[in-house]
Each structure stands twice: as C-alpha cells, then as structure tokens.
Amino acid sequence: MDKREDSLPPEDVLTADGLDHDPGHPPRETETELDEDDRLKPAFVRDVIDLAEEGEVEAARERVGRLHPADIADLFELVSDEDRPLLAQVLGDLLSPDVLAEMNDYVRERLIDLLAPEQVAEIASELDTDDAVAIIEDMEEDEQQAVLRAMEPEDRAAIEDALSFPEESAGRLMQREFVAVPEHVTVGDVIDRLREDVDLATDFWEIFVVDPMHRPVGTCQLSWILRAPRSVAINDIMRREQTLIPVDMDQEEVALRFQKYALISAAVVDKAGRLVGMITVDDVVHIIQEEAGEDILRLSGAGDGDINEPIALTIRTRLSWLVVNLGTAMLAASVVGIFETAIAKYALLAVLMPIVSGMGGNAGTQTLAVTVRAIATNQLTASNTMRMILREFRIATVNGLSLGILIGAGTALIFGNPLLGAVIASAMLINNLVAGLAGILVPVTLDRFDIDPAVSSAVFVTTMTDMMGFFSFLGLAVLSGLTAMG
C-alpha cells in the first residue's frame, strides 16, 4: 500500500520563504486562518461554510486548499453534523486520505458512511496499512467486506491480516511497509536498492537487517548508511541491540517501550520471531494521548469524553455510571440512617458530617489518580508497592492531622463546643487515613486481578470514604456523649 513512484523525495524542495517543506503538502500560508494557538479561527470556519452554502465552490476550495491536512481535518470536526456532507462535497479531492487519517474517529465514521465502498477502497489503498485499518476496522461487517472486495488483492490481504489481530494490539497498529535487507549485503547494495525499488515504503528512518529466516538481527539508521563507504558490509555498521515488539502486545505497553527507550521506530515480530512490520513514533504519540486521557475519563465515568461522540452513546455511558453512584450514595445514606436518633438530638451533626465525607472523598481521589497513573506507566510494580503504601499512609496521616486541627479549632471557636471540635478532628484524621489507603489498595488489588483500575476504582473509593466519614463522625459523637448534650 502507498506505493507511489516518488518514494524518494527530490533533493531540493524549497519554497519562496527558503524553507524546506513536505512535497506532499502545501506550505502553511495560513496566518489569517489560524490563531496564535495554531487553531482555526471561528471567522474562517464560518466563511468556508457560508461559501459552501452559497455555491462558491472555487472560493471555498481556494481558502481550504492552503491548509495542512491536519487543519482540514480540524475544520470538519469544528462544523456541525449537518454541514459536513456539504463541506465534503464542495472540497472534493481536498478530502484526501491524509485528511481522513488525521480526523477524529467519530467524524470520520460519519463521512465514510457517505462514500461508496469503491471510494473507501481507493482511499485506503493510498494509506499506510495502520491508517487504512483505522478507517476500516470500525465499519459494519458487511461494509467491511464490500470495501475489501473493491481493493487490490495485495492490499486486501494486508488489511485482512491486520484485522485478524486483537484491537489495540501491535498487530493492528503496525505498518506492513518497511525496508529489510539481508545481513550479507554491502552499504552500496542497500543504497542502490533504495534508489531503484519504487515499491519501497515512502517514509522510514531505519533499515532492518534480517537473517535467512527473516528474523531481525539488527537495525541501521539511514544516517549511518549515508556516511559509510559503499564497500562496507551492512552487518559491520548495524546495531545488534534492538527493541522488538511482539505482534500481540497491547498498544499501551508499546507506547511505554517507546517512551522508555526513546525509540523512533521498532520492529514487530510474530511468535516465530520473524519480522512482520514496524511501528513508528508518530503512531505512538496518538496512543500516548489517547491512553492518558482515557484513564482520567474512566475515573469520572465520562466514557470516551469525545465531543463528537453521538449524544445517545454519551447519555448511555454517563447514565449507567451515575446509576451506580446512586446506589453507592444510598449505601452511605443507610449509615446515616443508623444514627437518625443522634442527629435528631444534636442537629449540628447533620451540618458538619458532609465536611468529613467530602474531604475524605477529595483525598481519596488524589491518591487514586496518582496510583492509577503510576500503574499505567509501570512506575508502580510488585517491587515497590509496599513502599508506595507506606508513603501514602504517611501523607494521609500528615494531611489528616493538619485538616483535623484546622476544622477542629474552627468548629470549637464557631460553635463554642471543644468536644464537638475534638470529634470532628478525630473523624477527619480517620477518614483521611481510610482515603489514603483505599486510594492505593483498591486500584492495586484490581490490577492484580487483571481488572482495569481506571474503570472501577473510583466507585469503591468514594463509597468507602463516604461511609467511613459518616460512620466515624457520627459514631464518635455518640461514643463521646456529645449527643446527650443536645
């Protein structure tokens, strides 16, 4: 796929400003279209839609044609659902494969639905395998088959092979277009092949060296090849140490390896150790962004958190989470019900008890966020879990004492009751300790059972802090005889 005959760029690609530009994209003469944060200006978006609605096709195309594919993708994401079909019709071939590859998943799905299978097949054939798979994988089964039937056999085979791997795995993410050479060739042989073979990948940064079984034995950066004499054997300049990615590795783990070892690209191998593809850093950047946001959104039960997500799907996701939280709130309320008589005797308890539970919930959320991130980035492992638990316990103790002293002194002064101040101070310390321990123990335990801690931890932690906050404050009030004073 993406087998363009200009696989080697021209030696000098200069524009009037004297700067190098990608020959595949126009220079970004978009000062009037973009603001200081590199975002499309609202006035520009409105102008393009107005031109499209007025039938000024050439004017609209002229304005949009100066944009980078990523900015054109942003344009489609910024306009309403109703305007996107008209915009796609007006822009025509400006809605290129590169634009679709940069586009938000939900927006792209809606636009793909407007295209015939033959059009989708043509677009996919011009993309790298990983980008083509991203377009096709979310289609309905019958639509997928229609698109695949319209593709060339070689391209179809590559897509079908990618779709055979689990979602969010290295097999789905990898490109099948890479450069591999046998270890016995010379630098001159490699250079000649790069110049003569028009079917090579368009973009690559390193060359993989393989043995007769097609297993990677080393890697060689292009800069090393360009600096070495033609007669030097490739295995004399290659680096034998390399990071290999198993084809079934989860994409989050792939991203962690790229971060840890500062990789630009990496070879992907099958179970037999044979080279089957490569993953590049530009794909990993998207994964890092997705995974970082995904955990935070899961903690809040906000689903994908995508503003382009269909409203019905957003409502269903959020409502299901809110129903679960409603159930936990009823559990906390049942604890309050146990002390109904005490509250009736001393009404101030009802005023102050939300402070204890609320502060405990905030403290637990802080610890939970840190722990989930540490698990996701492999900072928290079995080797340092106990040290992390002790660390959070010390933090919770200091914070609990500090907040307890503040709320205790304030309560005693405001209500003129030192015993009430002592009760709420003690409850604040207890609930902060519970919050700190729950914030780390809950996600760690879930992770040990292979349950995503970002999905379920928040429900358990907030339930524990609410119930313990009410129970500790009201229970201490009864035990101390405070309610008898009412």
Side-chain angles (χ1 to χ4, degrees):
M1 302 180 70
D2 196 25
K3 297 171 183 175
R4 293 170 286 189
E5 293 191 357
D6 58 340
S7 58
L8 291 177
E11 294 181 1
D12 297 304
V13 182
L14 298 177
T15 57
D17 58 8
L19 299 177
D20 291 315
H21 290 288
D22 182 349
H25 304 307
R28 296 189 64 185
E29 300 172 357
T30 55
E31 290 81 358
T32 59
E33 289 84 358
L34 302 177
D35 61 18
E36 62 276 5
D37 294 321
D38 228 20
R39 298 173 299 193
L40 292 174
K41 294 180 179 179
F44 171 78
V45 176
R46 287 194 300 270
D47 287 346
V48 172
I49 294 301
D50 289 343
L51 289 171
E53 290 176 344
E54 294 167 4
E56 299 289 342
V57 176
E58 290 305 320
R61 287 174 58 84
E62 191 275 331
R63 300 237 21 211
V64 176
R66 296 196 298 265
L67 297 176
H68 186 277
D71 294 320
I72 299 178
D74 287 344
L75 176 62
F76 276 91
E77 294 169 19
L78 291 171
V79 302
S80 65
D81 278 342
E82 294 76 17
D83 291 328
R84 285 169 187 156
L86 174 62
L87 184 60
Q89 181 181 357
V90 168
L91 295 186
D93 59 357
L94 290 179
L95 183 57
S96 65
D98 289 332
V99 172
L100 288 171
E102 297 285 348
M103 199 173 288
N104 173 273
D105 291 345
Y106 292 109
V107 176
R108 184 174 59 214
E109 285 176 25
R110 295 190 186 99
L111 288 178
I112 291 296
D113 288 340
L114 302 175
L115 302 177
E118 293 76 16
Q119 293 174 291
V120 179
E122 182 179 353
I123 290 171
S125 297
E126 295 182 30
L127 293 170
D128 289 331
T129 310
D130 57 326
D131 292 326
V133 169
I135 290 177
I136 296 175
E137 65 182 348
D138 293 326
M139 301 176 70
E140 297 293 336
E141 181 65 27
D142 57 336
E143 296 174 343
Q144 274 189 14
Q145 294 304 316
V147 171
L148 291 172
R149 283 194 297 270
M151 299 181 72
E152 294 295 328
E154 184 179 352
D155 294 339
R156 181 171 65 248
I159 298 295
E160 288 176 338
D161 180 55
L163 293 174
S164 68
F165 295 105
E167 291 188 24
E168 299 188 347
S169 67
R172 285 282 183 101
L173 184 66
M174 70 182 180
Q175 300 178 23
R176 270 77 177 165
E177 301 80 19
F178 56 87
V179 179
V181 298
E183 54 186 328
H184 60 77
V185 299
T186 65
V187 169
D189 295 331
V190 174
I191 293 175
D192 291 341
R193 180 191 170 190
L194 295 180
R195 289 174 174 170
E196 297 168 1
D197 192 344
V198 297
D199 289 336
L200 288 178
T202 304
D203 299 311
F204 57 94
W205 294 269
E206 61 182 345
I207 293 172
F208 302 107
V209 184
V210 295
D211 65 11
M213 299 296 293
H214 209 65
R215 292 175 298 203
V217 295
T219 181
C220 192
Q221 295 182 10
L222 289 177
S223 58
W224 303 349
I225 294 175
L226 294 176
R227 291 199 299 261
R230 290 180 59 88
S231 59
V232 173
I234 200 73
N235 60 8
D236 288 336
I237 63 171
M238 71 179 185
R239 182 179 64 234
R240 296 186 181 276
E241 298 78 20
Q242 58 181 320
T243 301
L244 300 178
I245 306 294
V247 74
D248 56 354
M249 177 179 283
D250 184 84
Q251 65 176 20
E252 189 170 2
E253 182 63 29
V254 172
L256 290 174
R257 290 202 179 186
F258 268 74
Q259 283 183 302
K260 183 175 182 179
Y261 299 113
L263 302 176
I264 296 176
S265 62
V268 180
V269 295
D270 61 15
K271 293 182 179 180
R274 294 186 297 265
L275 178 64
V276 292
M278 75 169 180
I279 295 175
T280 55
V281 69
D282 60 316
D283 298 312
V284 172
V285 168
H286 291 299
I287 295 172
I288 294 172
Q289 292 174 335
E290 290 173 5
E291 297 291 347
E294 187 179 77
D295 287 343
I296 299 300
L297 291 167
R298 284 179 174 176
L299 283 173
S300 63
D304 287 344
D306 194 320
I307 61 174
N308 294 297
E309 184 180 45
I311 292 179
L313 179 58
T314 301
I315 292 173
R316 185 166 65 250
T317 302
R318 295 188 188 182
L319 185 59
S320 60
W321 181 267
L322 292 173
V323 169
V324 172
N325 277 267
L326 178 61
T328 62
M330 293 176 67
L331 284 176
S334 67
V335 174
V336 177
I338 297 174
F339 298 94
E340 180 180 358
T341 303
I343 295 173
K345 291 180 179 179
Y346 200 70
L348 276 178
L349 297 178
V351 175
L352 296 174
M353 65 182 184
I355 299 176
V356 180
S357 63
M359 292 303 297
N362 291 336
T365 300
Q366 288 180 337
T367 306
L368 179 61
V370 172
T371 304
V372 169
R373 180 185 180 278
I375 292 173
T377 58
N378 281 347
Q379 289 181 312
L380 181 58
T381 66
S383 301
N384 62 353
T385 297
M386 186 55 65
R387 186 169 72 250
M388 182 72 171
I389 292 173
L390 294 175
R391 177 179 182 273
E392 291 300 328
F393 181 80
R394 289 195 293 269
I395 293 173
T397 301
V398 173
N399 287 344
L401 285 171
S402 301
L403 293 172
I405 291 172
L406 287 173
I407 188 64
T411 300
L413 289 173
I414 293 172
F415 297 105
N417 190 331
L419 180 58
L420 178 60
V423 167
I424 194 171
S426 300
M428 186 69 76
L429 172 60
I430 293 171
N431 205 26
N432 265 268
L433 290 174
V434 171
L437 292 175
I440 184 170
L441 289 176
V442 168
V444 166
T445 302
L446 291 173
D447 185 59
R448 293 292 185 271
F449 286 97
D450 292 326
I451 301 173
D452 188 350
V455 175
S456 308
S457 296
V459 173
F460 290 109
V461 173
T462 55
T463 301
M464 294 173 70
T465 55
D466 284 349
M467 294 180 66
M468 183 53 67
F470 292 141
F471 186 80
S472 60
F473 178 57
L474 298 174
L476 287 173
V478 172
L479 289 176
S480 66
L482 185 63
T483 54
M485 297 172 60

